[in-house]
Amino acid sequence: MPIMVPAPQQLEIDSDASWELLLRVVNSNELKRSLRLRELLLYLGKRSLKSNVASIREQEIGAAVFGRPEDYDTGIDNIVRVNVSELRKRLAHYFQEEGAGEPIILEIPRGGYFPVFLSRPVEKDSKTQEHDPAPEPVTNVHVPDPKGTVEHETSSASLPKDVARQRTGRALSWGLGIALLLAISVSAFLYWQNHALRLQLQPWHADSNRAAFWSQFFASGQEVDIVTADTSYAIAEDLLQRPISLDDYLDYKYKSDVNLPGITPQTRDALHLVLDRNTGSVGDFEAAERIMGLDAYSPALKLASARSYTPQSIKDNNVILIGGRASNPWVELYKDRTNFSIEYDPLLHRSYVLNRSPAEGEQHIYEIVQDHDKAYSVIAFVPNFSNHRYALIIAGTDSQGTRAAGEFIASSEGLAAIRQRLPADRYPYFEVLLSSSRLEGTTLHTVIQTSRGYAH
């Protein structure tokens, strides 16, 4: 006859045992490669075990786990339903394979998001179950006393039973204590392991300074585009000795300038060579690398070049622009939203910082004339062109200045220095002008020269 498998029973299950099961599932082979599903299961499990709630709303999960606004439209955005559906499949597979011996199972019933912990019944062959005789009840057996003193016999027989009972109780207490200690140790280790894994995959969680600022990009659930500069564009401006507008850059109209009157054959040949290439600077790529390292495994983080980027992307996504307007024409879109900007004089071949509205004690122009062991750079955090989108501009007077700015905004120390200048519960929109000292190409020290803060 077939083996009969009873359905799981929802019985009174110890919360500690349920929590230990949850941690085992979170750290199982089934989920270890999916950080988002692990976070989802941990959140649902904590809400089930640690709070007195009977249900969990979809919007609540979307905001807490996937960074959605608290009032987002779940009819349009189905990210919670998709991930919970995948999580149900992973749970079922875990309890069939790796967790086949678990005495408790975890399920998320369809139609809701509230996880339940169920006692797994012991499987038993139906034939054996049908013919096994029921155990006979244990009854007290009267043994006659040879001397006829039944009371005396009962009294003398009770002593070894009491001693055995006490010893059994002590052994059981010791066993439970050791088991509890082991459970606490395992739980602490698994928590530490999960925390260490998250910091390894997402270093922006490592401290409060980086978490407070970078969560606006990485915890939003929206795409983040890092757009590196096109140094061929800057070289073309040098050869033409005039700026090239963003419109001309997008339509490639500047390529027709090679045929303008007054362009020498040597310049024309050089322009053809330059405009056929899409190049970037080492400092720009190093700045981009520092930022990508904050959330290296996120599928939402994309790297693009200025030449291949599109207006639709800059409208729809969070964007981080690397380089000044001379090499990254997309910066031109934010000219009216910023006070500090990296400008370039194609006649003098020199970059400088323009301070459009100098405050008392500030300069209108910051430039490096003779001291090649110093550089200026600008970081601007401003709103993008759509609601709940952000733009970050990182640019220097040279490649090493851009790299120094990238290191500054990616570091806890740099963000702490910005926060001291702009006290607020969260980071407001801001701009900072940095100056960096260096030795043989290595940045030694970067400080804030001046700053601006704006309402969020």
Side-chain angles (χ1 to χ4, degrees), residues 230-244:
D230 179 1
T231 54
S232 298
Y233 171 77
I235 296 171
E237 290 182 314
D238 270 341
L239 293 170
L240 293 169
Q241 295 189 337
R242 67 171 181 81
I244 300 172

Side-chain angles (χ1 to χ4, degrees), residues 93-239:
H93 191 261
Y94 170 80
F95 287 107
Q96 289 174 358
E97 301 293 338
E98 186 177 347
E102 295 281 5
I104 303 171
I105 63 174
L106 169 59
E107 292 181 352
I108 303 175
R110 296 189 180 278
Y113 305 106
F114 195 83
V116 295
F117 294 85
L118 307 170
S119 176
R120 188 201 293 264
V122 178
E123 298 180 1
K124 192 171 184 179
D125 186 89
S126 59
K127 183 175 181 179
T128 304
Q129 194 174 31
E130 183 179 325
H131 295 287
D132 280 351
E136 295 185 5
V138 178
T139 58
N140 292 328
V141 179
H142 173 69
V143 181
D145 178 31
K147 298 181 179 181
T149 55
V150 176
E151 291 81 4
H152 175 74
E153 174 65 22
T154 303
S155 175
S156 62
S158 65
L159 181 60
K161 290 183 180 180
D162 290 342
V163 172
R165 189 179 296 112
Q166 291 174 4
R167 290 178 178 176
T168 302
R170 284 197 296 267
L172 183 60
S173 298
W174 275 101
L176 290 175
I178 293 173
L180 180 61
L181 182 61
L182 288 173
I184 293 172
S185 300
V186 170
S187 298
F189 172 74
L190 292 176
Y191 174 83
W192 171 84
Q193 186 183 52
N194 184 62
H195 180 69
L197 178 62
R198 187 176 190 185
L199 293 185
Q200 182 181 356
L201 298 177
Q202 298 177 307
W204 63 271
H205 282 290
D207 58 80
S208 59
N209 291 317
R210 282 190 286 191
F213 177 72
W214 286 108
S215 62
Q216 298 174 104
F217 287 91
F218 299 139
S220 66
Q222 300 157 354
E223 287 194 5
V224 181
D225 298 332
I226 300 180
V227 184
T228 57
D230 179 1
T231 54
S232 298
Y233 171 77
I235 296 171
E237 290 182 314
D238 270 341
L239 293 170

Side-chain angles (χ1 to χ4, degrees), residues 45-362:
K46 287 178 182 178
R47 293 287 285 140
S48 171
L49 295 171
K50 307 294 184 181
S51 60
N52 296 320
V53 296
S55 63
I56 307 175
R57 295 185 303 110
E58 184 175 344
Q59 279 183 321
E60 172 193 340
I61 302 169
V65 180
F66 300 99
R68 297 299 195 260
E70 293 184 357
D71 58 348
Y72 82 103
D73 189 347
T74 58
I76 298 175
D77 190 340
N78 65 348
I79 188 170
V80 173
R81 297 191 294 277
V82 170
N83 280 273
V84 171
S85 177
E86 176 64 22
L87 182 58
R88 287 191 183 103
K89 297 177 185 176
R90 300 284 186 97
L91 288 174
H93 191 261
Y94 170 80
F95 287 107
Q96 289 174 358
E97 301 293 338
E98 186 177 347
E102 295 281 5
I104 303 171
I105 63 174
L106 169 59
E107 292 181 352
I108 303 175
R110 296 189 180 278
Y113 305 106
F114 195 83
V116 295
F117 294 85
L118 307 170
S119 176
R120 188 201 293 264
V122 178
E123 298 180 1
K124 192 171 184 179
D125 186 89
S126 59
K127 183 175 181 179
T128 304
Q129 194 174 31
E130 183 179 325
H131 295 287
D132 280 351
E136 295 185 5
V138 178
T139 58
N140 292 328
V141 179
H142 173 69
V143 181
D145 178 31
K147 298 181 179 181
T149 55
V150 176
E151 291 81 4
H152 175 74
E153 174 65 22
T154 303
S155 175
S156 62
S158 65
L159 181 60
K161 290 183 180 180
D162 290 342
V163 172
R165 189 179 296 112
Q166 291 174 4
R167 290 178 178 176
T168 302
R170 284 197 296 267
L172 183 60
S173 298
W174 275 101
L176 290 175
I178 293 173
L180 180 61
L181 182 61
L182 288 173
I184 293 172
S185 300
V186 170
S187 298
F189 172 74
L190 292 176
Y191 174 83
W192 171 84
Q193 186 183 52
N194 184 62
H195 180 69
L197 178 62
R198 187 176 190 185
L199 293 185
Q200 182 181 356
L201 298 177
Q202 298 177 307
W204 63 271
H205 282 290
D207 58 80
S208 59
N209 291 317
R210 282 190 286 191
F213 177 72
W214 286 108
S215 62
Q216 298 174 104
F217 287 91
F218 299 139
S220 66
Q222 300 157 354
E223 287 194 5
V224 181
D225 298 332
I226 300 180
V227 184
T228 57
D230 179 1
T231 54
S232 298
Y233 171 77
I235 296 171
E237 290 182 314
D238 270 341
L239 293 170
L240 293 169
Q241 295 189 337
R242 67 171 181 81
I244 300 172
S245 70
L246 176 61
D247 288 337
D248 288 349
Y249 181 76
L250 294 177
D251 294 338
Y252 296 99
K253 292 178 182 177
Y254 61 93
K255 288 190 175 184
S256 63
D257 290 347
V258 298
N259 300 316
L260 290 174
I263 301 294
T264 65
Q266 293 83 358
T267 301
R268 184 177 294 110
D269 291 341
L271 279 169
H272 279 301
L273 288 172
V274 167
L275 297 178
D276 286 339
R277 288 167 170 78
N278 184 3
T279 59
S281 73
V282 173
D284 292 357
F285 282 110
E286 288 178 336
E289 184 180 34
R290 289 298 297 268
I291 295 170
M292 293 190 72
L294 295 173
D295 201 2
Y297 294 92
S298 171
L301 194 59
K302 306 292 176 58
L303 184 64
S305 68
R307 192 175 295 190
S308 63
Y309 204 51
T310 65
Q312 189 63 45
S313 295
I314 206 168
K315 177 184 176 182
D316 291 343
N317 304 331
N318 295 308
V319 63
I320 300 173
L321 301 176
I322 309 291
R325 197 215 65 84
S327 58
N328 195 333
W330 296 101
V331 174
E332 185 178 321
L333 293 173
Y334 302 91
K335 181 174 61 176
D336 297 335
R337 302 186 180 206
T338 56
N339 179 67
F340 304 112
S341 63
I342 302 293
E343 303 293 335
Y344 181 72
D345 188 335
L347 296 176
L348 298 177
H349 307 295
R350 191 165 65 204
S351 295
Y352 59 92
V353 178
L354 174 64
N355 182 359
R356 293 187 175 86
S357 301
E360 185 177 354
E362 294 180 350

Side-chain angles (χ1 to χ4, degrees), residues 10 16 39 44 124 151 266 287 322 359 361 367 383 405 449-450:
Q10 186 166 4
D16 290 337
E39 291 181 346
L44 296 178
K124 192 171 184 179
E151 291 81 4
Q266 293 83 358
I322 309 291
E367 60 181 331
Q449 193 81 24
T450 186

